[in-house]
Amino acid sequence: MKRSELFALLIVLVVLLGLPAGLFGYQAWRTASAGVKVIDIVARAPEQGGFSPDRLSLKAGETVRLRLSSPDVVHGFTIPGLGVNVDEIYPGKVVEVAMTPDKPGRYAFACTRWCGVDHWRMRGVIEVTDPTPRPSFDKLRTGSFLPGKGVSVPPPLVGEGAGGEVLPGAAGEVPLYQQLGIDLDAMRHAAQVTPGARPSIAAGAALNAKLPQALTDSAQRRTLALADAFQTLRDDPTNAALSDADVWSLVAWAWLKDVPPTALARAETLYARDCAACHGPDGKGKGPAGLDLPGLTKMDPTLPKGPRDFTDAGGMLAASDVLLQGKLLRGGMGTGMPEFGSLYSDEELWAMIAYLRTFLFKP
Amino acid sequence: MHYAISEIPVIKRFLKSRWLQWGITVVTLAVFLVVILTGLFGTPAGNHNFGIVYVWLVWWALLKLIFVPFLGRFWCSVCPIPAPGDWLQRRAMITSRPGGKLYTLATKLFRKPGSFGARPWPKFLRNIWAQNLGFLAVALFSALILTSPLVTALTLLVFILVSLLVSLFYERRAFCRYLCPIGGFVGVYSQIAPVAVRVKDPAVCESHTEKTCYTGSDAGYGCPYFNLPQRLQANTLCSMCGECLRTCPKDNVAFYVRVPGADLLNTRGRRMDEAFNGLMMLGAAFIYSVVLIGPDGGLKATARAVGTPGWFVYVAALLSFSLLVVPGLFWLCVRLSQVLAGRPRPGMVDIAAAVRKRDSLFAGYATVLVPLGLAIWVAFTLSFTMTNLSYAWPALSDPFGWGWNLFGTAGMAWTPYLSGVIPYLQVPVLLVGLIVAVALAMRTAHQHQQPSRAALPVSAFCALAVVGLLTLYMA
């Protein structure tokens, strides 16, 4: 073979073999030289499979770098229990985020951008194990002990109505609604008496009225429907001089006086991220993503379709905080309401419930 | 009016050297390989995938805005798709075989001439009809191909495999000449190019009986596109690979710089398959303008959803518009020109006549579709490639969408280029295309012994196309 021919052949072979080897080698080198474990997570729209992989196993104390990418639409990424937040993963772009989970436990991760009608199903779980397992740990893991800061176990990730009862949370506590045996799926009657105008927290405070213990003790108050609290206050002779509107303001004050503004601000952010798409920014249940959801028609076909209207006094005043907590924790079993038990801390849950009340009560 | 640029000794040496074509082909092959790899393994987000960006924006812009208008079919000579087949047939890349001998499986397996496999390319396929239909077939899926890196990679893999397979059984570039869906329109539009390879003195060829330019010789291979250079009337089937420059023992072939569109000046004896290519491409340009870059993004999504009822509507629209509406309108215009000429030929269907007779008025008038169609495709290409060409920078640094930054350009933001200028480029291009088309219509009329007024209907057809397209772009 002539020299020139040999040279040309060599160059072509270098191109045909060297180019793929170089490209894939470079990626392998990038991964290997990162110094830490690199995990690629592809975020697809839930209809296309959601996160891949959606289950990760890590060791406590091990630093990992997550390489997040999206092939379709803009997604977000959060691991609430580990404080990891990525606001945007643009299609075709890669976002890297490093983290070092310290404590063993199961941590849910989720998409935070409304990427499709099934956005809320876009979840995953990171299982962080102790690198030096004690004999007792395995037993704990298979049991109901679920460590992790305020994060309860995520329910199965697929299927309409997936979820079931929420398992005990961080402190091993059974959620209040389960302790009280409240059936989240029972049909409830709307409150018979409702305020004429939006009750005002400030007006309630200005009345300087003495609240009964049932309303000052948060544990007790949370179990009460607001309409019942109104009736109790109305029936109390010491309030005889107050108008109905005043009593409603008293209820508003009783419910929201102890909620710090920072908690409400946090809940407002979470509401915008997780709730507004269905329930609407104004809480009226007319968000674009919720229009086709079954909502309460699941329980009573005569009711209107779609998500709960938080400005509807009849419905909201008949619901206790505990009931709302259950709905948030577990989701709405076929109504289209996702579960947030795996994403919200205890504080965030109660803050959210308080925030939902502000759609009815004004400051 | 032409000038033989290959008569300059340096340029002649340059053009006769095999290293030039080989060198560019190796580069295009490397790019092609990256396109396939990124298509198969990279991000499915088209605008961040090297494959989509470098094929459908960079290459397409180069092809439509530079190669075809200025260099004719030169792209074909450096296209990576037929290269492996070429090299296998020649068993060489740089050197030439004694006598320009080519090797195929057919010559190995079926030594007996005339046996299956050793047959020449079927006669009924010795035209560009298969290319026309191939283009339309690709066009049916184009919204998907243009946006999905994987589908682009698979399509190109099919191209290269078919090309390789054809080259195993049929000598020379039978795939390029008769099958390649791109080659058809590239050939037809390359008649505009201001460059051409032609013989210097036909009389010299007449006296040269060996025809080494066709058969090949120690100096090189026979024309890969089955051309006999002395018969070359147009660029349509010539890739300007320079093989005939090498094989002509009488130094009677030259590379000319010439008046653009000189191939179109003779409107007699034009071919129906090429005429139809022009009509089909015109129809496709309109459908693409509406579907791919129109204001209604839903149409693009529909055209992309292969297999759905909406897609079948797109298929029906594309096929009926390209195969029936546009050709039908044009046929009516040609018939009308006969009426205006005062010599109607009642009862005779022009298309049928064209098949029987080589010299068809329909195919003659169809030459107007070359400047018109190219102008329309240039305008169409300008609108979407310039808007999106800036994706080329991030895709170069991060070809797979894996978060790389090879050349520091991964973070470069999308910026539409020439956004304010594009209409000022499109309108003159379309107007020049229209003017040349109308002039050609007049010329066709005269060359076919018609009075000038007979050119009116076809001229009106061209004006309608330009006005229609401008209206679309304004909307």
Side-chain angles (χ1 to χ4, degrees), chain B residues 204-239:
Chain B
V204 174
C205 297
E206 293 299 336
S207 65
H208 180 234
T209 50
E210 289 85 0
K211 305 289 183 224
T212 45
C213 54
Y214 187 81
T215 60
S217 70
D218 291 354
Y221 302 94
C223 175
Y225 287 80
F226 307 92
N227 291 314
L228 193 59
Q230 73 189 87
R231 298 258 174 83
L232 269 185
Q233 298 284 325
N235 280 351
T236 320
L237 303 171
C238 170
S239 80

Side-chain angles (χ1 to χ4, degrees), chain A residues 5 23 27 30 71 91 93-94, chain B residues 44 48 92-95 403-404:
Chain A
E5 202 59 49
L23 291 170
Q27 177 72 345
R30 277 181 84 239
K93 292 282 183 185
V94 175
Chain B
H48 293 289
M93 292 179 189
I94 295 297
T95 46
W404 295 7

Side-chain angles (χ1 to χ4, degrees), chain A residues 282-304:
Chain A
D282 53 5
K284 288 188 174 159
K286 300 282 182 217
L291 296 177
D292 293 327
L293 293 178
L296 292 180
T297 53
K298 192 80 187 169
M299 300 171 191
D300 181 349
T302 63
L303 290 173

